[in-house]
Amino acid sequence: RKEVEQDPGPFNVPEGATVAFNCTYSNSASQSFFWYRQDCRKEPKLLMSVYSSGNEDGRFTAQLNRASQYISLLIRDSKLSDSATYLCVVNYNTDKLIFGTGTRLQVFP
Amino acid sequence: GAVVSQHPSRVICKSGTSVKIECRSLDFQATTMFWYRQFPKQSLMLMATSNEGSKATYEQGVEKDKFLINHASLTLSTLTVTSAHPEDSSFYICSARDPAGREPTGELFFGEGSRLTVL
């Protein structure tokens, strides 16, 4: 079983739609959780951290369920510019990040 | 602008040659840098942790004699792929943690990546 699992997609949604991605992790000792965004052939960039209480940044909402060991990302009012691969990332200690394979999102007009 | 710079962005070499990739932190000092490899449609896989002034820590299955890492200063780490073979063709990405970043543990910034093609 992979340490971090994501549905690779692609998720094809129209502009303005709401889309949600889930991610599961296997190690219950995981400490920190993040969503990164990666555009095609580019480096990943931090989108947002994920906190136990859930957190929101504009159109993006992230949630963590430690009991079920999953993380979610909700994108509201999708924009064409949201098209990218979204990487779920888990941290066991301060140095090592474990990346999921990513979920590809394609927003169409 | 980029806070971690990686060079070269693209390199093509012949089988058997060695290739050096540089990773620089531009706005901060990085005592630790990380080297990842990403194959098409796969996740980033951590290869090694580069520690300034000491030996790198390699992940299981990564050959330290093949992937030489040098972290000679607080702003520069280099990865040398020695005696490259076609199966080494991949996207190599470095990253560094800014202790002053917005993450609780310091934001991780990535270089632009280096696409290696070994003929």
Side-chain angles (χ1 to χ4, degrees), chain B residues 33-86:
Chain B
M33 292 184 176
F34 307 94
W35 287 96
Y36 289 84
R37 180 167 56 183
Q38 186 178 34
F39 291 106
K41 297 187 179 181
Q42 294 189 23
S43 60
L44 277 76
M45 297 298 297
L46 180 64
M47 298 175 65
T49 301
S50 173
N51 306 298
E52 189 268 335
S54 64
K55 292 182 180 180
T57 305
Y58 289 83
E59 295 300 302
Q60 191 174 10
V62 178
E63 299 175 58
K64 62 180 180 180
D65 294 329
K66 180 167 185 61
F67 299 99
L68 301 179
I69 292 173
N70 184 285
H71 195 150
S73 76
L74 286 170
T75 59
L76 174 64
S77 175
T78 60
L79 168 68
T80 301
V81 182
T82 62
S83 187
H85 288 103

Side-chain angles (χ1 to χ4, degrees), chain B residues 2-6 22-33 71 73-77 94-99 109-111:
Chain B
V3 295
V4 175
S5 176
Q6 194 172 335
E22 292 187 347
C23 179
R24 295 180 184 273
S25 59
L26 302 180
D27 300 322
F28 59 95
Q29 294 183 331
T31 55
T32 305
M33 292 184 176
H71 195 150
S73 76
L74 286 170
T75 59
L76 174 64
S77 175
C94 71
S95 68
R97 192 180 303 281
D98 180 2
F109 292 99
F110 286 83

